[in-house]
Amino acid sequence: MSTHAAVPADPRQAPTRDLIAHILERYHAAHRRDLAEAVRLATEVEHEQTCPQGLVDLLMLISDDLEDHQQKEEVVLFPRMLAGSLDVLAGPIARMHLDHADLAAQFETLRLLTEGFTVPAGASESWRALYALCARIEADLTAHVELEEGVLFRRFVAAPPI
């Protein structure tokens, strides 16, 4: 059980410390666990005759890039936010926006490769589990990015131009 304060239904009302703790516990930990499982499942099913090739490599790339991104947040960005180092946040936050866009592009490639996470008839249980997990990871990552960009980052710098 978490020792951190719960994030209210409207996260804009949460203190920054609680919002960051929520992001770390709810999203960072889940992404690490889920992507490791997705790579394991992809390794298991990629040898199946009709399984799209390249799933393992793409999921490992996503996992590595997301781990690098999360480390930047955990080691650099979040501590600076908590310390109130407002004058040094624009650059790291801009880098996070770029990372988020790169991850979205990687997931678009994953969606194309998997035909929208559509499992063909006769696919193994592992293949079905893999695509369901990939869809969940994508949904979680989308919610995670929306929380960071729509709430947390806006506390420290103006929203990026659209």
Side-chain angles (χ1 to χ4, degrees):
M1 176 174 281
S2 172
T3 59
H4 298 285
V7 173
D10 182 355
R12 293 172 297 180
Q13 303 304 316
T16 298
R17 180 169 303 286
D18 293 349
L19 190 55
I20 288 172
H22 173 72
I23 289 168
L24 292 171
E25 293 171 8
R26 167 60 184 89
Y27 294 109
H28 285 206
H31 297 324
R32 287 180 173 114
R33 179 190 64 242
D34 291 346
L35 280 164
E37 177 63 5
V39 168
R40 186 193 71 74
L41 286 168
T43 301
E44 183 179 318
V45 302
E46 195 169 54
H47 72 280
E48 294 184 33
Q49 190 173 21
T50 58
C51 183
Q53 296 302 298
L55 281 175
V56 173
D57 291 341
L58 181 55
L59 286 167
M60 287 177 65
L61 174 67
I62 290 169
S63 181
D64 290 347
D65 286 357
L66 186 56
E67 180 60 29
D68 180 62
H69 171 83
Q70 290 181 161
Q71 284 292 316
K72 287 185 264 186
E73 288 180 339
E74 292 167 9
V75 174
V76 177
L77 183 61
F78 292 166
R80 286 182 182 174
M81 287 176 166
L82 293 171
S85 305
L86 301 180
D87 57 330
V88 295
L89 290 175
I93 288 175
R95 178 70 246 172
M96 296 302 102
H97 288 302
L98 293 173
D99 287 357
H100 290 164
D102 289 346
L103 286 162
Q106 290 170 341
F107 266 91
E108 181 59 29
T109 300
L110 184 61
R111 278 191 152 280
L112 291 170
L113 187 61
T114 62
E115 297 180 19
F117 308 121
T118 303
V119 182
S124 67
E125 286 303 311
S126 293
W127 194 347
R128 292 178 190 285
L130 171 63
Y131 280 19
L133 181 56
C134 287
R136 188 176 85 224
I137 293 168
E138 182 184 43
D140 270 2
L141 189 60
T142 298
H144 174 187
V145 168
E146 288 173 357
L147 184 59
E148 287 183 350
E149 293 195 2
V151 179
L152 182 61
F153 295 173
R154 287 175 185 242
R155 293 178 180 185
F156 299 93
V157 297
I162 296 176

